[in-house]
Coordinates of all heavy atoms in Angstrom, one line a residue:
Chain A
R1045 N 11.3 21.2 0.5 CA 11.2 21.5 -0.9 C 12.0 22.8 -1.3 O 12.6 22.8 -2.3 CB 9.7 21.6 -1.4 CG 9.0 20.3 -1.5 CD 7.6 20.4 -2.1 NE 7.7 21.0 -3.4 CZ 7.8 20.2 -4.5 NH1 7.9 18.9 -4.4 NH2 7.9 20.8 -5.7
R1051 N 12.6 17.2 -3.5 CA 11.3 17.5 -4.1 C 10.6 16.2 -4.4 O 9.6 16.2 -5.2 CB 11.5 18.4 -5.3 CG 12.0 19.7 -4.9 CD 12.1 20.8 -5.9 NE 12.1 22.1 -5.3 CZ 12.2 23.2 -6.0 NH1 12.3 23.2 -7.3 NH2 12.3 24.4 -5.3
G1052 N 10.9 15.1 -3.7 CA 10.2 13.9 -3.9 C 8.8 14.0 -3.2 O 7.8 13.5 -3.7
K1054 N 5.4 15.8 -2.4 CA 4.6 16.8 -3.2 C 3.6 17.5 -2.4 O 3.1 17.0 -1.4 CB 3.9 16.0 -4.3 CG 4.7 15.0 -5.1 CD 5.9 15.7 -5.8 CE 6.7 14.7 -6.6 NZ 8.0 15.2 -7.0
E1055 N 3.3 18.7 -2.8 CA 2.2 19.5 -2.2 C 1.0 19.3 -3.1 O 1.0 19.7 -4.2 CB 2.5 20.9 -2.1 CG 1.4 21.7 -1.4 CD 1.5 23.2 -1.5 OE1 2.5 23.7 -0.9 OE2 0.6 23.8 -2.0
G1056 N 0.0 18.6 -2.5 CA -1.3 18.5 -3.3 C -2.3 19.5 -2.8 O -3.1 19.9 -3.6
D1061 N -5.2 17.1 3.5 CA -6.4 16.3 3.1 C -6.1 15.3 2.0 O -7.0 14.6 1.6 CB -7.5 17.3 2.5 CG -8.1 18.1 3.6 OD1 -8.6 17.5 4.6 OD2 -8.0 19.4 3.6
V1100 N 10.8 10.0 1.0 CA 10.8 9.0 -0.1 C 12.2 8.9 -0.7 O 12.6 7.8 -1.1 CB 9.8 9.4 -1.2 CG1 10.2 10.7 -2.0 CG2 9.5 8.2 -2.1
Q1114 N 8.4 0.0 -2.3 CA 8.5 0.7 -3.6 C 8.4 -0.3 -4.8 O 7.7 -0.1 -5.8 CB 9.8 1.5 -3.7 CG 9.9 2.7 -2.8 CD 11.2 3.3 -2.8 OE1 12.3 2.7 -2.7 NE2 11.3 4.7 -2.9
H1121 N 1.7 -2.2 -10.7 CA 1.2 -1.1 -11.6 C 0.4 -0.1 -10.8 O -0.6 0.3 -11.2 CB 0.4 -1.7 -12.8 CG 1.2 -2.7 -13.6 ND1 2.0 -2.4 -14.6 CD2 1.2 -4.1 -13.5 CE1 2.5 -3.5 -15.1 NE2 2.1 -4.5 -14.4
S1123 N 1.1 2.9 -9.8 CA 1.2 4.4 -10.1 C 0.8 4.7 -11.5 O 1.0 3.9 -12.4 CB 2.7 4.9 -9.9 OG 3.5 4.4 -10.9
Q1124 N 0.1 5.8 -11.6 CA -0.2 6.2 -13.0 C 0.4 7.6 -13.2 O 1.5 7.7 -13.8 CB -1.7 6.2 -13.2 CG -2.3 4.8 -13.4 CD -3.7 4.7 -13.8 OE1 -4.3 5.6 -14.3 NE2 -4.4 3.6 -13.5
C1125 N -0.2 8.7 -12.7 CA 0.4 10.0 -12.9 C 1.6 10.1 -11.9 O 2.5 10.9 -12.2 CB -0.5 11.1 -12.7 SG -0.8 11.7 -11.1
G1126 N 1.6 9.4 -10.8 CA 2.7 9.3 -9.9 C 2.8 10.4 -8.9 O 3.7 10.4 -8.1
F1127 N 1.9 11.4 -8.9 CA 2.0 12.5 -8.1 C 1.7 12.2 -6.6 O 2.3 12.7 -5.7 CB 1.1 13.7 -8.6 CG 1.5 15.0 -8.1 CD1 2.6 15.7 -8.7 CD2 0.9 15.6 -7.0 CE1 3.0 17.0 -8.2 CE2 1.3 16.9 -6.5 CZ 2.3 17.6 -7.1
R1154 N -7.3 -6.2 4.5 CA -7.8 -5.0 3.8 C -8.2 -3.9 4.8 O -8.0 -2.7 4.5 CB -9.0 -5.5 2.9 CG -9.8 -4.4 2.2 CD -9.0 -3.9 1.0 NE -9.6 -2.6 0.5 CZ -10.5 -2.5 -0.3 NH1 -11.1 -3.5 -0.9 NH2 -11.0 -1.3 -0.7
N1158 N -6.9 -0.1 4.5 CA -7.8 1.0 4.5 C -7.5 2.0 5.6 O -7.5 3.2 5.4 CB -9.3 0.6 4.6 CG -9.8 -0.1 3.4 OD1 -9.1 -0.2 2.4 ND2 -11.0 -0.7 3.5
R1167 N -6.1 9.9 -7.6 CA -7.2 10.2 -8.6 C -7.1 9.4 -9.8 O -8.0 9.4 -10.7 CB -7.1 11.7 -9.0 CG -8.3 12.3 -9.7 CD -9.6 12.2 -8.9 NE -10.5 13.2 -9.2 CZ -11.8 13.1 -9.0 NH1 -12.3 12.0 -8.4 NH2 -12.7 14.1 -9.3
C1168 N -6.1 8.5 -10.0 CA -5.9 7.8 -11.2 C -6.3 6.3 -11.1 O -6.9 5.8 -12.0 CB -4.4 7.9 -11.7 SG -3.8 9.5 -12.1
Y1171 N -7.3 2.7 -6.8 CA -6.8 2.1 -5.5 C -6.5 0.6 -5.6 O -5.7 0.0 -4.9 CB -7.7 2.3 -4.3 CG -7.8 3.8 -4.0 CD1 -9.0 4.5 -4.4 CD2 -6.8 4.5 -3.4 CE1 -9.2 5.8 -4.2 CE2 -7.0 5.9 -3.1 CZ -8.2 6.5 -3.5 OH -8.3 7.9 -3.3
R1172 N -7.2 -0.2 -6.5 CA -7.0 -1.6 -6.5 C -5.6 -2.1 -6.6 O -5.1 -2.9 -5.8 CB -7.9 -2.3 -7.6 CG -8.1 -3.8 -7.5 CD -7.0 -4.6 -8.1 NE -6.7 -4.2 -9.4 CZ -5.5 -4.4 -10.0 NH1 -4.5 -5.1 -9.3 NH2 -5.2 -3.9 -11.2
T1254 N -1.5 28.9 8.8 CA -0.3 29.2 8.1 C -0.4 28.9 6.6 O -0.1 29.8 5.8 CB 0.9 28.3 8.6 OG1 1.0 28.5 10.0 CG2 2.2 28.6 7.9
Q1256 N -3.2 28.0 4.7 CA -4.4 28.4 3.9 C -4.8 29.9 4.1 O -5.1 30.6 3.2 CB -5.6 27.6 4.3 CG -5.4 26.1 4.1 CD -5.2 25.8 2.6 OE1 -6.0 26.2 1.8 NE2 -4.2 25.0 2.3
Q1257 N -4.7 30.4 5.4 CA -5.0 31.8 5.7 C -3.8 32.6 5.4 O -3.9 33.9 5.4 CB -5.4 32.0 7.1 CG -6.6 31.1 7.5 CD -7.8 31.3 6.6 OE1 -8.1 32.4 6.2 NE2 -8.5 30.2 6.2
L1258 N -2.6 32.0 5.3 CA -1.3 32.7 5.0 C -1.0 33.7 6.1 O -0.3 34.7 5.9 CB -1.3 33.4 3.7 CG -1.6 32.6 2.4 CD1 -1.6 33.5 1.2 CD2 -0.7 31.4 2.3
K1259 N -1.5 33.4 7.4 CA -1.1 34.2 8.5 C 0.3 33.9 8.9 O 0.7 32.7 8.9 CB -2.1 33.9 9.7 CG -3.4 34.5 9.5 CD -4.3 34.2 10.7 CE -5.7 34.4 10.5 NZ -6.6 33.6 11.3
D1260 N 1.0 34.9 9.3 CA 2.3 34.7 10.0 C 2.1 34.4 11.5 O 1.4 35.2 12.1 CB 3.2 35.9 9.8 CG 3.6 36.1 8.3 OD1 3.8 35.0 7.6 OD2 3.7 37.2 7.9
I1397 N -21.7 10.2 10.6 CA -22.3 10.3 9.3 C -21.6 11.4 8.5 O -21.4 12.5 8.9 CB -23.8 10.8 9.4 CG1 -24.6 9.9 10.3 CG2 -24.4 10.8 8.0 CD1 -24.7 8.4 9.9
K1399 N -20.2 12.2 4.0 CA -20.3 11.8 2.7 C -19.4 10.6 2.3 O -19.8 9.7 1.6 CB -20.0 13.0 1.7 CG -21.1 14.0 1.5 CD -20.7 15.1 0.5 CE -21.6 16.3 0.8 NZ -21.0 17.5 0.2
R1400 N -18.2 10.7 2.8 CA -17.2 9.7 2.5 C -16.8 9.0 3.8 O -16.8 9.6 4.9 CB -16.0 10.4 1.9 CG -15.0 9.4 1.3 CD -13.9 10.1 0.6 NE -13.0 10.8 1.5 CZ -12.0 11.6 1.1 NH1 -11.9 11.9 -0.2 NH2 -11.3 12.2 1.9
D1402 N -13.8 7.5 4.5 CA -12.4 7.8 5.0 C -12.3 9.3 5.1 O -12.7 10.1 4.3 CB -11.4 7.4 4.0 CG -11.3 5.9 3.8 OD1 -11.3 5.2 4.8 OD2 -11.2 5.4 2.6
D1403 N -11.6 9.8 6.2 CA -11.1 11.1 6.3 C -12.1 12.2 5.8 O -11.9 12.9 4.8 CB -9.8 11.2 5.4 CG -9.1 12.6 5.7 OD1 -9.5 13.3 6.7 OD2 -8.1 12.8 5.0
D1404 N -13.2 12.2 6.5 CA -14.2 13.2 6.1 C -14.7 13.8 7.4 O -14.7 13.2 8.5 CB -15.4 12.6 5.3 CG -16.2 13.7 4.6 OD1 -15.9 14.9 4.8 OD2 -17.2 13.3 3.9
A1475 N -24.2 19.1 4.7 CA -25.5 18.6 4.7 C -26.5 19.7 5.0 O -26.1 20.8 5.5 CB -25.6 17.5 5.8
S1476 N -27.8 19.4 4.8 CA -28.8 20.4 5.1 C -29.2 20.3 6.5 O -29.0 19.2 7.1 CB -30.0 20.2 4.1 OG -30.7 19.0 4.5
Y1479 N -31.7 17.3 6.8 CA -31.0 16.0 6.9 C -30.4 15.8 8.2 O -30.5 14.7 8.8 CB -29.9 16.0 5.8 CG -29.1 14.7 5.7 CD1 -29.7 13.5 5.2 CD2 -27.8 14.6 6.2 CE1 -29.0 12.3 5.2 CE2 -27.1 13.4 6.1 CZ -27.7 12.3 5.6 OH -27.0 11.1 5.6
E1482 N -33.1 14.9 10.7 CA -33.7 13.6 10.4 C -32.8 12.4 10.8 O -33.2 11.4 11.4 CB -34.1 13.5 8.9 CG -34.9 12.2 8.6 CD -35.3 12.2 7.1 OE1 -35.1 13.2 6.4 OE2 -35.7 11.1 6.7
N1486 N -33.0 9.4 13.3 CA -32.9 8.0 12.8 C -31.8 7.2 13.5 O -31.8 6.0 13.6 CB -32.7 8.0 11.3 CG -34.0 8.4 10.6 OD1 -35.1 8.5 11.2 ND2 -33.9 8.5 9.3
R1490 N -31.5 3.6 14.9 CA -30.5 2.6 14.6 C -30.0 1.9 15.9 O -29.8 0.7 15.9 CB -29.4 3.2 13.8 CG -28.3 2.2 13.4 CD -27.0 2.9 13.1 NE -26.9 3.3 11.7 CZ -25.9 3.9 11.1 NH1 -24.9 4.2 11.9 NH2 -25.9 4.2 9.9
V1503 N -23.4 0.4 7.3 CA -23.0 -0.2 6.0 C -21.5 -0.4 5.9 O -21.0 -1.3 5.2 CB -23.5 0.6 4.8 CG1 -25.0 0.5 4.7 CG2 -23.1 2.1 4.9
Y1506 N -20.0 -3.8 6.3 CA -20.4 -4.8 5.3 C -19.5 -4.8 4.1 O -19.7 -5.5 3.1 CB -21.8 -4.7 4.9 CG -22.8 -5.0 6.0 CD1 -23.1 -4.1 7.0 CD2 -23.4 -6.3 6.0 CE1 -23.9 -4.5 8.0 CE2 -24.3 -6.6 7.0 CZ -24.6 -5.7 8.0 OH -25.4 -6.0 9.0
Chain B
H900 N 8.4 7.3 -10.2 CA 7.3 7.7 -9.3 C 7.5 7.2 -7.9 O 7.4 8.0 -7.0 CB 6.0 7.0 -9.8 CG 5.5 7.5 -11.1 ND1 4.7 6.7 -11.9 CD2 5.6 8.7 -11.8 CE1 4.4 7.4 -13.0 NE2 4.9 8.6 -13.0
V901 N 7.9 6.0 -7.7 CA 8.0 5.4 -6.4 C 9.2 6.0 -5.6 O 9.3 6.0 -4.4 CB 8.0 3.9 -6.3 CG1 6.7 3.4 -6.9 CG2 9.2 3.3 -7.0
Y907 N 8.1 16.9 -11.8 CA 6.9 17.7 -12.3 C 7.3 19.1 -12.4 O 8.4 19.5 -11.9 CB 5.7 17.5 -11.3 CG 5.4 16.0 -11.2 CD1 6.1 15.2 -10.3 CD2 4.3 15.5 -11.9 CE1 5.8 13.8 -10.2 CE2 4.0 14.1 -11.8 CZ 4.8 13.3 -11.0 OH 4.5 11.9 -10.9
D909 N 6.7 21.8 -10.8 CA 7.2 22.5 -9.6 C 8.4 21.9 -9.0 O 9.0 22.5 -8.1 CB 6.0 22.5 -8.6 CG 6.3 23.5 -7.4 OD1 6.7 24.6 -7.7 OD2 6.0 23.2 -6.3
D910 N 8.9 20.8 -9.6 CA 10.1 20.2 -9.0 C 11.3 20.6 -9.8 O 12.4 20.3 -9.4 CB 10.0 18.6 -9.1 CG 8.8 18.1 -8.3 OD1 8.3 18.8 -7.4 OD2 8.3 17.0 -8.7
I911 N 11.1 21.2 -10.9 CA 12.3 21.7 -11.7 C 13.1 22.7 -10.9 O 12.5 23.6 -10.3 CB 11.8 22.3 -13.1 CG1 11.0 21.3 -13.9 CG2 13.0 22.9 -13.9 CD1 10.3 21.9 -15.1
E913 N 14.7 25.9 -10.0 CA 14.3 27.2 -10.6 C 15.6 27.9 -11.1 O 16.6 27.8 -10.5 CB 13.7 28.0 -9.5 CG 12.3 27.6 -9.0 CD 12.4 26.5 -8.0 OE1 13.5 26.1 -7.6 OE2 11.3 26.0 -7.6
R992 N 5.2 32.6 -1.0 CA 4.3 33.1 0.1 C 4.1 34.6 0.1 O 3.0 35.1 0.3 CB 5.0 32.6 1.4 CG 4.1 32.8 2.6 CD 4.7 32.2 3.9 NE 4.0 32.5 5.0 CZ 2.9 31.9 5.4 NH1 2.4 30.9 4.7 NH2 2.2 32.3 6.5
Q996 N 0.5 36.3 -0.2 CA 0.1 37.2 0.8 C -0.2 38.6 0.2 O -1.2 39.2 0.6 CB 1.2 37.3 1.9 CG 1.2 36.1 2.9 CD 2.3 36.3 3.9 OE1 3.4 36.8 3.7 NE2 2.0 35.7 5.1
R999 N -3.6 39.2 -1.4 CA -4.8 39.4 -0.6 C -5.0 40.8 -0.2 O -6.0 41.2 0.5 CB -4.6 38.5 0.7 CG -4.6 37.0 0.3 CD -4.8 36.2 1.5 NE -4.9 34.8 1.0 CZ -5.4 33.8 1.7 NH1 -5.8 34.0 3.0 NH2 -5.5 32.6 1.2
E1057 N -15.3 18.3 -10.0 CA -14.0 18.9 -9.9 C -12.9 17.9 -10.3 O -13.0 16.7 -9.9 CB -13.8 19.4 -8.5 CG -12.3 19.6 -8.1 CD -11.6 20.7 -8.9 OE1 -12.3 21.7 -9.2 OE2 -10.4 20.5 -9.2
H1058 N -12.0 18.3 -11.2 CA -11.0 17.3 -11.6 C -10.1 16.8 -10.5 O -9.8 15.6 -10.5 CB -10.0 18.0 -12.7 CG -10.8 18.5 -13.8 ND1 -11.3 19.8 -13.8 CD2 -11.1 18.0 -15.1 CE1 -11.9 20.0 -15.0 NE2 -11.8 18.9 -15.8
G1111 N 0.8 15.6 -13.2 CA 0.3 14.9 -12.1 C -1.2 14.8 -12.2 O -2.0 15.2 -11.3
F1114 N -7.1 14.7 -16.8 CA -8.5 14.4 -16.8 C -9.4 15.4 -17.6 O -10.6 15.4 -17.4 CB -9.1 14.2 -15.4 CG -8.2 13.4 -14.4 CD1 -7.6 14.0 -13.3 CD2 -7.9 12.1 -14.7 CE1 -6.8 13.3 -12.5 CE2 -7.1 11.4 -13.9 CZ -6.5 12.0 -12.8
R1142 N 2.0 29.0 -9.7 CA 1.4 27.7 -9.3 C 0.2 28.1 -8.5 O 0.3 28.8 -7.5 CB 2.4 26.9 -8.4 CG 1.9 25.6 -7.9 CD 3.0 24.8 -7.2 NE 3.3 25.4 -5.9 CZ 2.8 25.0 -4.8 NH1 2.0 23.9 -4.7 NH2 3.2 25.5 -3.6
R1145 N -4.3 25.2 -4.0 CA -5.4 24.3 -4.3 C -6.7 25.0 -4.3 O -7.5 24.8 -5.2 CB -5.4 23.1 -3.2 CG -6.5 22.1 -3.5 CD -6.5 21.5 -4.8 NE -5.4 20.6 -5.0 CZ -5.2 19.9 -6.2 NH1 -6.1 19.9 -7.1 NH2 -4.1 19.2 -6.3
I1146 N -7.0 25.9 -3.3 CA -8.3 26.5 -3.3 C -8.4 27.4 -4.5 O -9.5 27.4 -5.2 CB -8.5 27.3 -2.0 CG1 -8.7 26.3 -0.9 CG2 -9.7 28.3 -2.1 CD1 -9.0 26.9 0.5
M1355 N 0.0 12.0 -18.9 CA -0.7 12.5 -17.6 C -0.9 11.4 -16.6 O -1.7 11.5 -15.7 CB -1.9 13.3 -18.0 CG -3.0 12.5 -18.7 SD -4.3 13.5 -19.4 CE -3.8 13.6 -21.1
G1356 N -0.2 10.3 -16.9 CA -0.4 9.1 -16.0 C -1.1 7.9 -16.7 O -1.1 6.8 -16.3
D1502 N -28.3 2.1 3.6 CA -28.9 2.2 4.9 C -30.1 3.2 4.8 O -30.0 4.3 4.5 CB -27.9 2.8 5.9 CG -28.5 3.0 7.3 OD1 -29.7 2.9 7.5 OD2 -27.7 3.4 8.2
L1504 N -32.0 4.4 7.0 CA -32.2 5.3 8.0 C -31.3 6.6 7.8 O -31.7 7.7 8.3 CB -31.7 4.7 9.4 CG -32.7 3.7 10.0 CD1 -32.0 3.1 11.2 CD2 -34.0 4.3 10.3
T1505 N -30.2 6.4 7.1 CA -29.3 7.6 6.9 C -29.0 7.9 5.5 O -28.4 8.9 5.2 CB -27.9 7.3 7.6 OG1 -27.4 6.1 7.0 CG2 -28.1 7.0 9.1
E1507 N -26.7 6.4 3.9 CA -25.3 5.9 3.7 C -25.4 4.6 2.8 O -26.4 3.9 2.9 CB -24.6 5.6 5.0 CG -24.4 6.8 5.9 CD -24.0 6.3 7.3 OE1 -24.9 5.8 8.0 OE2 -22.8 6.4 7.6
R1509 N -22.7 1.5 0.7 CA -21.4 1.0 0.3 C -21.5 0.2 -1.0 O -22.5 -0.4 -1.3 CB -20.9 -0.1 1.3 CG -20.8 0.4 2.7 CD -19.8 1.5 2.9 NE -18.4 1.1 2.6 CZ -17.4 1.8 2.1 NH1 -17.7 3.1 1.9 NH2 -16.2 1.4 1.9
L1511 N -20.5 -2.9 -2.8 CA -20.0 -4.2 -2.3 C -19.2 -5.0 -3.4 O -18.2 -5.7 -3.0 CB -21.2 -5.1 -1.9 CG -22.1 -4.5 -0.7 CD1 -23.2 -5.5 -0.5 CD2 -21.3 -4.3 0.5
G1530 N -5.7 -0.7 -15.6 CA -5.5 0.5 -14.7 C -6.4 1.7 -15.1 O -7.0 2.4 -14.3
Q1531 N -6.6 1.9 -16.4 CA -7.5 2.9 -16.9 C -8.9 2.6 -16.6 O -9.7 3.5 -16.3 CB -7.3 3.1 -18.5 CG -6.0 3.8 -18.8 CD -6.0 5.2 -18.3 OE1 -6.8 6.1 -18.6 NE2 -5.0 5.5 -17.4
E1533 N -10.2 0.6 -14.2 CA -10.5 0.7 -12.8 C -10.5 2.1 -12.3 O -11.4 2.5 -11.6 CB -9.4 -0.1 -12.0 CG -9.5 -1.6 -12.2 CD -8.3 -2.3 -11.6 OE1 -7.2 -1.7 -11.3 OE2 -8.4 -3.5 -11.3
G1534 N -9.5 2.9 -12.8 CA -9.4 4.3 -12.3 C -10.5 5.1 -12.9 O -11.1 5.9 -12.2
T1545 N -20.2 10.8 -4.1 CA -19.8 11.7 -3.0 C -19.2 13.1 -3.5 O -19.1 13.9 -2.6 CB -18.6 11.0 -2.2 OG1 -17.5 10.8 -3.1 CG2 -19.1 9.8 -1.5
E1546 N -19.0 13.2 -4.8 CA -18.3 14.5 -5.2 C -19.4 15.5 -5.5 O -20.0 15.6 -6.5 CB -17.5 14.2 -6.4 CG -16.3 13.3 -6.2 CD -15.4 13.1 -7.4 OE1 -15.2 14.1 -8.1 OE2 -14.8 12.0 -7.5
E1547 N -19.6 16.4 -4.5 CA -20.7 17.4 -4.6 C -20.1 18.8 -4.7 O -19.4 19.2 -3.7 CB -21.6 17.2 -3.4 CG -22.8 18.1 -3.5 CD -23.8 17.9 -2.4 OE1 -23.4 17.5 -1.3 OE2 -25.0 18.1 -2.6
K1565 N -15.2 15.7 -1.7 CA -14.7 14.4 -1.4 C -14.7 13.4 -2.6 O -15.7 12.9 -3.0 CB -15.6 13.7 -0.2 CG -15.8 14.6 1.0 CD -14.5 15.3 1.5 CE -13.7 14.5 2.4 NZ -12.6 15.2 3.1
I1566 N -13.5 13.2 -3.1 CA -13.3 12.2 -4.1 C -13.1 10.9 -3.5 O -12.9 10.8 -2.3 CB -12.0 12.5 -5.0 CG1 -10.7 12.3 -4.2 CG2 -12.1 13.9 -5.6 CD1 -9.5 12.3 -5.1
P1567 N -13.3 9.8 -4.2 CA -13.2 8.5 -3.6 C -11.9 8.3 -2.9 O -10.8 8.7 -3.4 CB -13.4 7.5 -4.7 CG -14.2 8.2 -5.7 CD -13.7 9.7 -5.6
A1568 N -11.9 7.6 -1.7 CA -10.7 7.3 -1.0 C -10.6 5.7 -1.0 O -11.5 5.0 -1.6 CB -10.7 7.8 0.4
I1569 N -9.6 5.2 -0.3 CA -9.3 3.8 -0.5 C -10.4 2.9 -0.1 O -10.7 1.8 -0.7 CB -8.0 3.4 0.2 CG1 -7.4 2.1 -0.4 CG2 -8.1 3.4 1.7 CD1 -5.9 1.9 -0.1
S1570 N -11.2 3.2 1.0 CA -12.3 2.3 1.4 C -13.4 2.3 0.5 O -14.3 1.5 0.6 CB -12.8 2.8 2.8 OG -11.7 2.7 3.7
A1572 N -13.1 1.8 -2.7 CA -12.9 0.8 -3.8 C -13.6 -0.5 -3.3 O -13.5 -0.9 -2.1 CB -11.4 0.5 -3.9
E1634 N -27.3 12.1 1.7 CA -28.5 13.0 1.9 C -29.5 12.8 0.7 O -30.7 12.7 0.9 CB -28.1 14.4 2.0 CG -29.3 15.4 2.1 CD -29.0 16.7 2.6 OE1 -27.9 17.0 3.0 OE2 -29.9 17.6 2.6
N1641 N -37.3 8.8 1.2 CA -38.5 9.5 1.8 C -39.6 9.7 0.7 O -40.8 9.5 1.0 CB -38.2 10.8 2.5 CG -37.3 10.6 3.7 OD1 -37.3 9.5 4.3 ND2 -36.6 11.6 4.1

Side-chain angles (χ1 to χ4, degrees):
Chain A
R1045 286 187 61 87
R1051 293 189 163 178
K1054 311 301 180 195
E1055 183 192 297
D1061 292 303
V1100 69
Q1114 293 174 310
H1121 304 276
S1123 70
Q1124 287 185 22
C1125 85
F1127 201 81
R1154 177 75 197 269
N1158 287 354
R1167 193 54 154 163
C1168 297
Y1171 301 100
R1172 195 275 312 158
T1254 303
Q1256 300 297 313
Q1257 304 305 317
L1258 304 180
K1259 286 182 193 153
D1260 292 326
I1397 306 298
K1399 278 182 201 161
R1400 188 174 72 191
D1402 296 313
D1403 193 9
D1404 196 0
S1476 71
Y1479 178 72
E1482 185 179 350
N1486 285 358
R1490 181 198 274 177
V1503 289
Y1506 290 78
Chain B
H900 290 156
V901 299
Y907 302 80
D909 195 40
D910 301 336
I911 298 170
E913 293 82 359
R992 190 172 171 82
Q996 282 180 326
R999 297 190 174 201
E1057 159 62 37
H1058 302 84
F1114 315 115
R1142 181 175 70 99
R1145 180 58 66 177
I1146 287 182
M1355 59 193 102
D1502 178 354
L1504 288 173
T1505 61
E1507 294 167 287
R1509 303 294 297 151
L1511 301 177
Q1531 286 298 299
E1533 292 170 340
T1545 58
E1546 295 185 32
E1547 187 172 29
K1565 308 312 276 189
I1566 70 168
I1569 199 162
S1570 299
E1634 177 164 353
N1641 291 339

